[in-house]
Amino acid sequence: MTIDRTATLANWMDAPYHRSAFQRVREITPTELIARGADVRRLERDSRPLDHVTFADRHGRTTTWAEHLASSWCDAVCVLHDGRIVDERHLGTMHERRPHLLMSVSKSVCGAALGIAVGRGRLRADDLVTDVAPEFAGTSLDGATVRHVIDMTAGTDFVEDYDVYVEADAAVPLIDYEIHAGYRPLHGRQPLGTLGHFRTYGTAFPHGARFQYRSPLTNVAARLIEVVEDLPYPEIVARDLWGPIGMEHDADVMLDPLRHPVVEGGMSCTLRDLARFGQMYLDDGVVDGRQVVPQAWVADTRDGDDVCAAAFEAQEGGNHDGWSMYRNAFWVIERGQVFSGLGIFGQYCWIHRPSRTVIARFSTYPTAFPEDLSAETLRGFTAVAEHLAAHPG
């Protein structure tokens, strides 16, 4: 199948153009390489028949794993059980060497990089942002801590509503941010970049009062890592994660018009490398006997604390998903047991500790966040994990 190259910066996040565009971000927008290391962590194969695994689809009917993948705009999926590949599929134009946009699963990579910097003593989660990086003095982060930033409980005033994708109105904060971040054409505007745009935000509530999902905060977290490590973010990820984990392929991250990395959603990598990242978290941060991400940080990510859980419950509109919290740039679905990186249009790095299952999935859902389709996908993950636990092979 030939890949479609009709997508441009003006339409690449719209269906149907995004299906090919998410596989060739390097052709559409500037990127910076995230280099792999010299050694590749091999993943053994232990293929299992999963096509027949059943669960409820978004219409309330029974579907199978095979039917779900065929009808849910899946681009690729890899299932690991006990660190072995039990199911791997590249659909359409995807193949094992082709990177795919992670969208907000990119945030989880940033969370891991931050955990490594904390483990080295470069900074602490309770440090004030302005003590780490005085450049943020006078912004909405005055008085905020690193913890407030990575857990999205800082009081920064920014509304992230994906229903606005239908209109793409530049007056909407999210769309205006995406213009200055490089996701959309500037159309003659003077570029602010991700960090410059952040400086225009006010303060909406006291730091720590509640969780509110705001992607630009992750760019701040990445900037804090750059400051304490004195290296560009892509080099930090290559040195501290991509090399030590034993990734198979180079990754990359988008650059805004001012050449700053678009950390909150601009990273691309291959499917198995995303699965390796999830497996590292399942294994308490250890890869082949080497501690990559501190064990304490991994435990804190999946377990969180009562303060974080309370902030999640206090989110505007309430906790309608029934999940546990947002911690260190992961969504904790079941505290201590199930957590995931999640990205719009259907990107997942899902970790299920009870069954020792990791599922990496790339998708191009027809809209940014179709709640019914996302819920179906997560039900499918759970059904597969439970099947693997019941039939270990």
Side-chain angles (χ1 to χ4, degrees):
M1 182 179 295
T2 302
I3 194 165
D4 180 7
R5 285 185 161 81
T6 60
T8 68
L9 190 62
N11 64 21
W12 74 293
M13 290 194 296
D14 301 326
Y17 305 103
H18 65 336
R19 187 135 217 206
S20 64
F22 284 9
Q23 301 174 33
R24 57 183 192 90
V25 177
R26 298 170 187 172
E27 299 176 26
I28 294 172
T29 182
T31 61
E32 185 74 24
L33 186 74
I34 297 173
R36 68 179 181 89
D39 299 322
V40 175
R41 182 189 185 185
R42 299 298 174 187
L43 294 174
E44 296 181 6
R45 293 184 178 273
D46 181 18
S47 298
R48 312 274 188 85
L50 298 178
D51 281 0
H52 65 288
V53 173
T54 59
F55 50 96
D57 70 9
R58 55 195 178 277
H59 307 295
R61 300 189 290 262
T62 298
T63 190
T64 66
W65 180 243
E67 291 167 344
H68 162 73
L69 295 178
S71 65
S72 61
W73 293 273
C74 179
D75 295 326
V77 66
C78 180
V79 181
L80 302 183
H81 186 239
D82 278 327
R84 296 185 295 274
I85 298 173
V86 298
D87 191 21
E88 182 182 24
R89 310 178 193 215
H90 293 84
L91 308 175
T93 57
M94 276 295 294
H95 58 70
E96 62 183 24
R97 299 178 306 282
R98 177 162 284 159
H100 191 289
L101 187 64
L102 297 179
M103 282 297 184
S104 287
V105 181
S106 308
K107 295 179 173 69
S108 302
V109 176
C110 182
L114 178 62
I116 293 170
V118 168
R120 289 180 176 148
R122 303 285 198 266
L123 75 171
R124 298 174 302 173
D126 59 358
D127 282 345
L128 290 175
V129 169
T130 52
D131 286 347
V132 177
E135 66 196 70
F136 291 107
T139 72
S140 63
L141 295 177
D142 281 340
T145 65
V146 175
R147 168 63 60 209
H148 291 142
V149 168
I150 198 63
D151 288 351
M152 297 200 187
T153 58
T156 298
D157 187 8
F158 183 84
V159 177
E160 190 154 343
D161 178 3
Y162 288 103
D163 291 338
V164 302
Y165 268 64
V166 177
E167 300 177 6
D169 183 353
V172 174
L174 177 59
I175 300 300
D176 191 57
Y177 164 76
E178 290 185 344
I179 290 170
H180 287 281
Y183 288 101
R184 299 174 185 273
L186 281 164
H187 292 307
R189 294 175 179 81
Q190 186 68 27
L192 297 176
T194 56
L195 298 178
H197 199 264
F198 187 89
R199 297 189 67 85
T200 69
Y201 309 157
T203 303
F205 55 88
H207 302 309
R210 60 180 170 86
F211 164 79
Q212 183 182 329
Y213 190 75
R214 288 145 300 166
S215 286
L217 286 167
T218 310
N219 295 321
V220 173
R223 178 60 187 150
L224 298 178
I225 305 168
E226 288 186 326
V227 168
V228 299
E229 295 287 1
D230 194 26
L231 279 174
Y233 179 78
E235 293 183 28
I236 294 168
V237 174
R239 181 195 68 184
D240 293 347
L241 289 166
W242 238 241
I245 292 174
M247 297 305 198
E248 191 172 356
H249 301 103
D250 296 333
D252 59 63
V253 63
M254 283 175 53
L255 300 177
D256 72 19
L258 301 182
R259 310 298 289 185
H260 296 133
V262 186
V263 175
E264 46 81 11
M267 188 170 169
S268 296
C269 74
T270 57
L271 179 68
R272 283 200 296 266
D273 284 344
L274 182 59
R276 287 180 174 93
F277 178 74
Q279 186 65 38
M280 182 267 295
Y281 263 87
L282 179 62
D283 291 336
D284 296 325
V286 175
V287 177
D288 293 336
R290 177 181 178 183
Q291 195 77 47
V292 176
V293 176
Q295 183 176 3
W297 185 264
V298 175
D300 181 70
T301 299
R302 66 176 183 248
D303 297 333
D305 59 26
D306 292 343
V307 172
C308 187
F312 195 77
E313 290 297 324
Q315 65 184 284
E316 191 172 318
N319 179 8
H320 66 278
D321 288 316
W323 295 354
S324 296
M325 68 191 78
Y326 184 85
R327 186 67 161 187
N328 298 335
F330 276 86
W331 296 89
V332 182
I333 298 169
E334 183 182 341
R335 192 169 180 178
Q337 300 300 318
V338 185
F339 56 112
S340 186
L342 298 174
I344 57 171
F345 295 105
Q347 323 315 322
Y348 301 86
C349 183
W350 185 82
I351 301 151
H352 190 271
R353 294 186 72 223
S355 67
R356 292 196 51 78
T357 300
V358 171
I359 302 181
R361 172 173 163 154
F362 295 142
S363 320
T364 35
Y365 291 164
T367 58
F369 186 63
E371 293 188 23
D372 58 345
L373 183 52
S374 180
E376 176 184 318
T377 299
L378 291 174
R379 284 194 297 273
F381 291 171
T382 301
V384 165
E386 291 177 347
H387 173 82
L388 291 170
H391 305 86

